[in-house]
Amino acid sequence: MSKIDRRDFMKIAGIGGLIFASGLGFNALGSNHSGGGKRAKDDFYFVQLSDTHWGFDGPAVNPDSKGTLKKAVAAVNSLEEQPDFIVFTGDLTHTTEDRRVRRERMAEFRDIVSGLKAKTVHFMAGEHDASLDRGEAYQEFFGKLNYTFDHKGVHFIVLDNVSDPAAVIGETQLKWLQDDLKKQKHDAPIVVLTHRPLFGLYPQWDWATRDASAVINALMPYKNVTVFYGHIHQEHHFMTGHIAHHAAKSLMFPLPAPGSAPKRVPIPWDASAPYKGLGFRQVEAAARKAHYEITEFPVTKG
Amino acid sequence: MKRIIALTLIAFAAFGIIMFTAAFGASAPTEQVIRVTAKKFEFSPGEITVKKGEPVLLELTAEDVRHGFSLPDFGIRADIKPGVINRVKFTPDKAGRFDFTCDVFCGSGHEDMSGTLVVTE
């Protein structure tokens, strides 16, 4: 695995926000962290990027719409230690009804992110990628819509809550999830990766998954479950029982806090603070403890 | 003989329909019927005004593709399909302004497809 020196990690963390997360909850820097601890051999870290919306064009919202993703790729590549893997939690591309343009955008996106130094990349679809054609184009470029993978003792489950345009996981996928969970011990560290929130964050803005409660019910017997998702274009942390949910920032435009504005419209570009509200995060995982340290980074480091 | 039996049955059926209508139809509370049309990427009307405590019947239909109608503050959601009228009954029990939104992703303007229910006292 790639090793990262704790002191370097804390130095990197200094340019972003840092929180700690686990199946037992999450809190601000310093409140329950031993600090300076030695990494266990099964510790690792990954990077989450989300909502890149490649193909979006709106100068008032992001005058650098063609450059932001490339800057983020460069920022990830400049991390002193490269992550074990990278996840993209959906809305890789901005939606279009033109089948040809959809595929062009996906091809361009794929080309850009192929420049990442970390070569293990796990993709998820967002509704902009998959809702208009039930994920047909997405699967041509990025593979399955739902799948699992394991890394150093952590079981990752990728859920598709977007290829049905009604934001439904569906009975078939739910059964698949239940069958997969049956193979896990109840104290196994489990991370769920998905696009939409798996709880009714703000249904008035369609920030929900219609049958999320069935997913949460299936996950509830498992003690160490953490969810990382996108869709809402901002950092957000929430607990459903003992399950922590962490939303990531976008790499195209930020959105207002839930219900804080009359409409769900992008926050305009702030010329005095370019890329404000955009960014990516790294997640350092202590697998044995199902403990996750989240560090938020801006699009451009330093 | 067969003709007499048939006429008798028809008479009974007609009587039944009349009695059913008198018993249930006439006594049904008056409801405000509002036809709502959905198309990319707007509802028409975009603002619906109703009175608190008075029953409402929404007649939802779509002009182009499948849409959704979600009014979470009243626990209402429905699919809206072209060529089909989906009727949703409810009685608003609180006054105020409440957002409704399309919750079936329908394209590049989907996020803008919303409206407001105004419930007056």
Side-chain angles (χ1 to χ4, degrees), chain B residues 2-83:
Chain B
K2 281 182 183 172
R3 197 170 175 185
I4 291 169
I5 291 169
L7 285 171
T8 305
L9 287 173
I10 290 167
F12 270 113
F15 180 73
I17 290 167
I18 291 165
M19 292 304 290
F20 183 87
T21 305
F24 298 100
S27 63
T30 310
E31 57 199 9
Q32 185 180 357
V33 179
I34 299 167
R35 190 177 177 89
V36 179
T37 304
K39 67 175 180 184
K40 295 179 184 177
F41 297 100
E42 62 183 17
F43 290 103
S44 180
E47 185 167 300
I48 302 167
T49 302
V50 297
K51 285 201 80 170
K52 180 183 165 185
E54 293 189 0
V56 177
L57 175 64
L58 298 176
E59 293 188 339
L60 307 167
T61 188
E63 286 187 2
D64 42 23
V65 296
R66 179 185 172 203
H67 294 278
F69 182 89
S70 174
L71 180 57
D73 291 289
F74 293 92
I76 290 169
R77 89 146 307 279
D79 283 330
I80 317 178
K81 295 176 182 171

Side-chain angles (χ1 to χ4, degrees), chain A residues 26-47:
Chain A
F26 50 86
N27 47 51
L29 174 61
S31 59
N32 76 342
H33 181 59
S34 56
K38 200 177 172 186
R39 287 178 129 234
K41 67 176 170 41
D42 53 356
D43 288 358
F44 65 94
Y45 93 93
F46 65 94
V47 165

Side-chain angles (χ1 to χ4, degrees), chain A residues 76-270:
Chain A
V76 173
N77 284 343
S78 72
L79 292 170
E80 279 184 59
E81 305 256 354
Q82 285 301 295
D84 284 28
F85 59 88
I86 291 169
V87 300
F88 281 88
T89 46
D91 282 356
L92 317 179
T93 61
H94 199 69
T95 194
T96 170
E97 292 181 28
D98 187 317
R99 297 176 74 251
R100 184 183 56 81
V101 174
R102 184 177 303 137
R103 285 165 173 77
E104 282 175 4
R105 289 179 182 178
M106 289 183 178
E108 289 166 3
F109 171 88
R110 190 177 58 185
D111 287 348
I112 293 165
V113 303
S114 69
L116 286 161
K117 284 183 188 170
K119 290 305 172 196
T120 303
V121 182
H122 300 285
F123 296 102
M124 282 115 246
E127 76 279 7
H128 278 253
D129 306 305
S131 282
L132 293 188
D133 65 358
R134 298 254 169 190
E136 181 187 318
Y138 175 89
Q139 289 175 90
E140 288 171 19
F141 282 82
F142 304 108
K144 289 181 178 178
L145 292 157
N146 59 297
Y147 56 94
T148 64
F149 63 96
D150 293 274
H151 191 78
K152 294 186 174 172
V154 179
H155 186 59
F156 289 82
I157 302 172
V158 174
L159 290 180
D160 161 30
N161 50 11
V162 296
S163 65
D164 183 327
V168 174
I169 297 270
E171 286 300 321
T172 303
Q173 189 179 188
L174 188 60
K175 174 75 167 51
W176 169 84
L177 171 66
Q178 290 164 336
D179 288 345
D180 179 71
L181 287 172
K182 280 178 193 165
K183 299 173 205 158
Q184 303 301 319
K185 291 180 180 171
H186 279 206
D187 61 351
I190 294 170
V191 169
V192 176
L193 301 167
T194 192
H195 181 65
R196 288 172 167 271
L198 289 176
F199 60 98
L201 171 56
Y202 198 65
Q204 290 87 340
W205 286 359
D206 198 22
W207 286 358
T209 299
R210 202 180 296 173
D211 51 356
S213 60
V215 174
I216 295 300
N217 287 343
L219 292 168
M220 269 298 169
Y222 297 85
K223 285 165 55 182
N224 297 309
V225 180
T226 304
V227 182
F228 292 93
Y229 69 104
H231 190 56
I232 67 167
H233 294 216
Q234 61 197 282
E235 187 187 354
H236 189 274
H237 309 280
F238 188 79
M239 300 293 293
T240 50
H242 62 280
I243 300 173
H245 304 254
H246 305 289
K249 292 175 182 171
S250 165
L251 284 166
M252 187 55 82
F253 54 83
L255 287 168
S260 65
K263 295 282 180 186
R264 173 193 39 179
V265 293
I267 296 171
W269 181 262
D270 181 351

Side-chain angles (χ1 to χ4, degrees), chain A residues 27-77:
Chain A
N27 47 51
L29 174 61
S31 59
N32 76 342
H33 181 59
S34 56
K38 200 177 172 186
R39 287 178 129 234
K41 67 176 170 41
D42 53 356
D43 288 358
F44 65 94
Y45 93 93
F46 65 94
V47 165
Q48 180 187 10
L49 301 98
S50 200
D51 295 87
T52 51
H53 283 267
W54 183 255
F56 172 82
D57 183 25
V61 171
N62 187 340
D64 187 30
S65 60
K66 289 186 166 36
T68 306
L69 175 59
K70 294 169 186 168
K71 286 182 174 66
V73 168
V76 173
N77 284 343

